[in-house]
Each structure stands twice: as C-alpha cells, then as structure tokens.
Amino acid sequence: MRAGRDDIGAVAGDGAGSMRIAMIGTGYVGLVSGACIADFGHTVTCVDKDSIKISALNKGEIPIYEPGLAEIVQSNVRQGRLTFTTELSETLGEADAVFIAVGTPSRRGDGHADLSYVYAATREIALALKRFTVVITKSTVPVGTGDEIERIIRELRRDIDVAVVSNPEFLREGAAIHDFKHPDRIVVGTHDERAKAVLAEIYRPLYLNRAPIMYTGRRTAELIKYAANAFLATKITFINEVADLCEKVGADVQEVARGIGLDNRIGPKFLHAGPGFGGSCFPKDVRAVIKTAQDHNVPMRILEAVETVNDTRKRAMARKVSSAFAGVLRGKTVAILGLTFKPNTDDVREAPSLALITALQDMGAQVRAYDPVGMDSAKQVLTEVTYCRDPYDCVEEADAVVIVTEWEQFRALDLERVRDLMACPVMVDLRNVYSPEDMKKYGFAYTSVGRLPTQQPINLVDAPISIRARV
Ligand SMILES: NC(=O)c1ccc[n+]([C@@H]2O[C@H](COP(=O)([O-])OP(=O)(O)OC[C@H]3O[C@@H](n4cnc5c(N)ncnc54)[C@H](O)[C@@H]3O)[C@@H](O)[C@H]2O)c1
C-alpha cells in the first residue's frame, strides 16, 4: 500500500454498477467523500459555490490539509472519474444520486443548526433535476430536515420523483480518508427500496470489505449522527471533570482513564483529558441537539452541562498559565504550540487555542504561536499574535510555553534547547504529552491536566534569573 492511499479502490468501475454522482459542497466532508467515492470507481462531480476553491481544485491544488487527500484527488482526476465545477445544473441531469455536503454551522444567536445552506442547495437541486434521482443528505442535520428537503423538492418539482435519504458521515478530520474507507458502519436512513439499491451500489466496495450497512428510518439516521457526537463529547467532558478532581486529590487522570478504559463496557477512546473539545462538529452538534430536544420539550440536561462545562473550560486553561506567575500575566510572553483543534488538520473552528489565546491576551500577555499547518486559518480569526517559524523560534525569550495541540513534532521537542531559549522554564502541557518526572529532570515548572504539577506554582515575576540559575 502506498502512503496515503488505501487498499479499497475502484471496484464499482470494474463492474456494471458504476454510478454518476454529484457532490454538493466541496469542503472537508464533500471533498473527501467525493474523492473516495470516485476512488471506488464511480464518476463524481464535486460542486461548490466557492469559485476560488473550484478553480484551485481544477489547477490540482487541494484547498484543505488532510493527509492522503491530494494523492487520491489527483489520481481520480487523472483517470477521469473526478471533476469540479461551480455549476450544479450541468451536472445533475445525468446523476443517479446527489449528495448534500454543505455546512450546517450554529445559527448566530440561538445555537440551532443553520440549515440555510442545506435548503438553498435543495432548491438548486430541485430546479436542476431531470429524472428520478436519489438525494442524499451527508451534512449533519437535525431530525426532520430530510422531511423538509423532500417537501421543498416536491413543491418545486411535482413532475419528478425523488427519494430523499439520510446518510450521515462519521469521518474524523486528520484521518478522513481512512475513516471514509473503513467506517465502523454506514447508516442509511430510508425506506425507499430504489434508494437502498443505489446506496448499496455506491458503497459496494465498503460492503465487500465488511463494513456493516445499517438501514433505518430517515429520522433515526439523522438522530444517530447527533447522538454519536453528543455521546463522544460527553465522554471527553466527563474525563475532563475527573481530571480536575484528580488535580485536587492527588490522583493521576491518565491512570484513571486507563483503569476505566480497560473495562469493555467503557472502552479506552475519548478518555484523554485536555483543554476541552473543539472543532467544526462537536460544539455545534451538541448545541443543535440541545435545541432540537428543547423544541420537543425533552430537555437534555446532561448535554446542557457538557456544553457549559466545555465552554468554560477552554478559557479557564489560561489560569493554568497565570497561576505559575501568581495570577499576573501582564507583560509576560506566552508561546503557544498548536492552534488547530487537533493534529493533522488545518481546521481551527472552535479550537481551544482561540479561547485560550483571547483569555491570555485579556490578562495582558503577549502571545507568540506556532502550528505546522494551522497558522493561515488562525490569522483569519486571531489578532495581535506573533506567528513563528518553528517551535524553537516560538519559545525564544518566552516566559511560558503552552502545548495546546498534540502535533507529532511537539512530542519530540529538544527540551534542553526549549528550556535554554526561554526566559523562564514554565511549561503548561494541555495534552499531557510529557511526563512530570521527565520535566522535573529538565528543570521545568511543569503543569499538565489531571496530574500534579512538578512544583507548586511559584511567582516568577521577579525571579526569572534565579529560576534559570536553578536549572
Ligand atoms: N468536518 C468534519 O469532520 C465533519 C465530519 C462529519 C460530518 N460533518 C458535517 O458535514 C457537513 C459539511 O461539513 P464541512 O466541514 O465539510 O463543511 P465546510 O464548511 O468545510 O464545507 C462546506 C462547503 O459547502 C459549500 N457550499 C455551501 N452552500 C453551497 C451550495 N448551495 N452549493 C454548493 N456548495 C455550497 C461551501 O462553499 C463549502 O465549501 C456539516 O454538516 C458537518 O457537520 C463534518
């Protein structure tokens, strides 16, 4: 297997079942899904309103950072199975199925999922339809959205039959190709037999690879996606609160997580304590499911707590930094390592780094930052940050360094060099990348999450030289 490529390739194209697919929305989900479905052997046209994105793709440039994506896009473009356009109407006439993969961000003001992009795409689909087509919602949408999509299409096009299906996507940014090609399950929400046959054909290579296809009602499929993300967000928030308790009672959250994770009923994943969950999905999906539940008079108290605890937590991480300076950060320089919400993506949407950096700036700190791929995205949302060439440039003369995203390169820092470059050897490790014992050996005042600091918080305001002397 070549790096970045996958073993599941063009099966559909080898047989009679090759489909013509339109993918509306060429973002993190649409581009990955479109490229992988083309790689299965189907013919895919990715459509996006963003003409800059489409012209970049047509020049062979990949607008997002996702390991392995460039190779799979380029190979399918070369083989004539993958094309990009801004014009939906040209594409749809020939398509057997059209996916909706546009964004569903939080609506400003009330936290409901903003479905305006989904419904705009729906109207465009309706107007472009030429024959029976399966319309598949891959965007994460609240329960009942499929009903509304169907209503809109039927209202605009009484002459054409459609089947509207919910097919939520579970891929993770940073491992998107692997996740798309090796899903734990494929959820297909429809009772329409024609649609089931089309979906089965699209995903045939995965089915051959034994990924279970689960057919459900459409509303059930829509809720499966939200319930999955809400549950994972709850698991993260749970261990984060356990981490806070560990710090108070002198326990180690890593060991607690392992101790409970070895229990098969609990499982080890999503039990990594940290600065709170971020990203383009969990925060908005938790908010949206709370709103849906409120609309149906079914308050979801657990998720309401998850949302509040997580929101507060990101900003509260700044206190871990300030406590090393007796609560006074004014005039201090803080080096931030990692801006993206997780490694292997350039996505900074709702990343913990954003709230943390703003909190540090509010406390009067100067912020320097480095991220392997996320700095361009961060520049669009953060101000007054000095962006650096590499981790060592970032920590130079800094009073504290904070590891916010666990990029591989931050796991193997030359710690002596880091220590010697800094004005004060203070490290706040929000991902528990290093061990407190090692950090003590290197002479850092080291704070992590859910583990005791290597030394009691000390006031370094007036004593940086003496601290360095101790090192
Ligand atoms: N990002 C993830 O990891 C992930 C994982 C699973 C599910 N999802 C869900 O998938 C959906 C898409 O997420 P994303 O991260 O790919 O979003 P994104 O913002 O990266 O991409 C959405 C794209 O849709 C385009 N678009 C909007 N309206 C359009 C229209 N009418 N016609 C053509 N293009 C249009 C935008 O220009 C944009 O390029 C969301 O509902 C999200 O919740 C995301």
Side-chain angles (χ1 to χ4, degrees):
M1 193 182 8
R2 280 176 289 147
R5 289 281 288 159
D6 221 300
D7 48 333
I8 301 173
V11 172
D14 302 341
S18 172
M19 299 252 142
R20 280 159 303 184
I21 311 284
M23 181 70 61
I24 305 188
T26 308
Y28 286 86
V29 165
L31 183 54
V32 169
S33 306
C36 289
I37 291 173
D39 211 43
F40 295 164
H42 303 295
T43 305
V44 179
T45 305
C46 288
V47 185
D48 205 289
K49 284 245 175 273
D50 184 340
S51 54
I52 297 173
K53 204 175 257 188
I54 293 300
S55 65
L57 283 160
N58 278 326
K59 280 189 261 166
E61 295 160 15
I62 307 296
I64 55 170
Y65 178 84
E66 180 61 48
L69 181 59
E71 201 183 7
I72 211 168
V73 167
Q74 282 150 12
S75 119
N76 283 280
V77 166
R78 254 195 324 273
Q79 294 175 66
R81 289 197 297 252
L82 183 62
T83 49
F84 303 99
T85 179
T86 52
E87 291 306 318
L88 172 64
S89 54
E90 288 170 8
T91 312
L92 210 55
E94 299 297 312
D96 300 297
V98 51
F99 283 88
I100 300 176
V102 300
T104 50
S106 282
R107 194 161 66 188
R108 266 175 200 276
D110 66 7
H112 275 280
D114 179 353
L115 295 173
S116 56
Y117 302 102
V118 170
Y119 292 146
T122 302
R123 283 188 285 276
E124 288 161 28
I125 291 169
L127 298 176
L129 285 172
K130 296 220 168 48
R131 59 185 173 116
F132 171 75
T133 307
V134 181
V135 178
I136 306 163
T137 313
K138 198 161 256 315
S139 298
T140 303
V141 294
V143 175
T145 305
D147 301 1
E148 182 61 10
I149 291 173
E150 185 166 339
R151 191 196 63 73
I152 293 171
I153 297 175
R154 293 203 186 287
E155 193 173 283
L156 291 171
R157 294 298 300 273
R158 288 171 204 281
D159 56 321
I160 291 212
D161 194 13
V162 286
V164 177
V165 179
S166 165
N167 171 221
E169 182 50 54
F170 299 96
L171 64 76
R172 295 161 302 166
E173 286 175 26
I177 306 284
H178 178 271
D179 286 356
F180 194 92
K181 292 195 164 192
H182 301 271
D184 293 334
R185 76 299 206 192
I186 301 156
V187 174
V188 175
T190 183
H191 292 306
D192 187 303
E193 294 302 327
R194 298 165 301 175
K196 282 186 193 172
V198 168
L199 270 289
E201 198 51 51
I202 292 172
Y203 287 118
R204 190 158 62 98
L206 299 185
Y207 181 70
L208 293 176
N209 208 37
R210 301 189 200 291
I213 297 194
M214 185 182 168
Y215 294 103
T216 69
R218 192 163 61 199
R219 287 177 164 241
T220 303
E222 289 169 339
L223 191 52
I224 285 172
K225 173 66 192 178
Y226 275 112
N229 273 2
F231 187 79
L232 294 172
T234 303
K235 219 173 160 188
I236 294 171
T237 306
F238 173 78
I239 201 67
N240 282 342
E241 287 206 313
V242 171
D244 292 346
L245 182 59
C246 285
E247 287 173 19
K248 293 288 180 211
V249 299
D252 182 324
V253 74
Q254 308 272 99
E255 290 173 10
V256 173
R258 185 168 148 74
I260 61 174
L262 285 169
D263 185 328
N264 283 331
R265 294 168 302 176
I266 297 172
K269 295 195 175 154
F270 285 78
L271 286 180
H272 300 288
F277 59 78
S280 63
C281 291
F282 285 2
K284 79 168 174 65
D285 291 349
V286 167
R287 250 175 253 137
V289 78
I290 290 171
K291 291 294 167 186
T292 301
Q294 284 171 354
D295 285 351
H296 290 83
N297 209 14
V298 184
M300 300 196 83
R301 300 277 183 244
I302 294 175
L303 292 183
E304 285 170 9
V306 165
E307 188 193 16
T308 313
V309 168
N310 193 64
D311 280 353
T312 321
R313 183 174 189 82
K314 293 182 196 169
R315 218 180 136 80
M317 290 298 111
R319 285 203 290 277
K320 280 188 181 286
V321 186
S322 68
S323 65
F325 300 93
V328 183
L329 275 185
R330 189 152 300 283
K332 299 288 165 204
T333 299
V334 180
I336 299 289
L337 295 184
L339 294 165
T340 53
F341 81 94
K342 64 170 169 178
N344 296 323
T345 180
D346 58 354
D347 200 340
V348 299
R349 287 179 280 186
E350 303 211 32
S353 64
L354 305 184
L356 169 65
I357 287 174
T358 311
L360 294 170
Q361 290 173 329
D362 289 347
M363 290 177 181
Q366 305 291 319
V367 173
R368 298 165 63 77
Y370 170 73
D371 187 283
V373 300
M375 293 198 284
D376 285 342
S377 317
K379 281 175 192 166
Q380 292 166 31
V381 282
L382 288 168
T383 53
E384 311 275 321
V385 171
T386 305
Y387 294 95
C388 303
R389 283 191 314 278
D390 58 43
Y392 303 101
D393 179 31
C394 189
V395 300
E396 196 163 347
E397 287 305 312
D399 297 290
V401 56
V402 188
I403 299 180
V404 187
T405 315
E406 67 278 33
W407 283 94
E408 210 54 42
Q409 61 173 270
F410 303 153
R411 292 181 181 277
L413 292 171
D414 177 342
L415 293 169
E416 281 183 14
R417 188 173 164 203
V418 169
R419 181 197 64 206
D420 292 345
L421 283 167
M422 294 181 71
C424 296
V426 173
M427 180 182 281
V428 179
D429 177 1
L430 297 181
R431 299 292 181 175
N432 292 351
V433 164
Y434 291 105
S435 88
E437 294 72 31
D438 284 351
M439 297 313 284
K440 195 171 186 175
K441 270 188 248 151
Y442 282 102
F444 281 90
Y446 175 78
T447 309
S448 53
V449 178
R451 305 182 296 182
L452 286 180
T454 53
Q455 46 198 82
Q456 290 305 310
I458 30 170
N459 183 354
L460 300 176
V461 180
D462 304 316
I465 305 300
S466 61
I467 289 293
R468 295 178 93 183
R470 252 191 278 157
V471 171

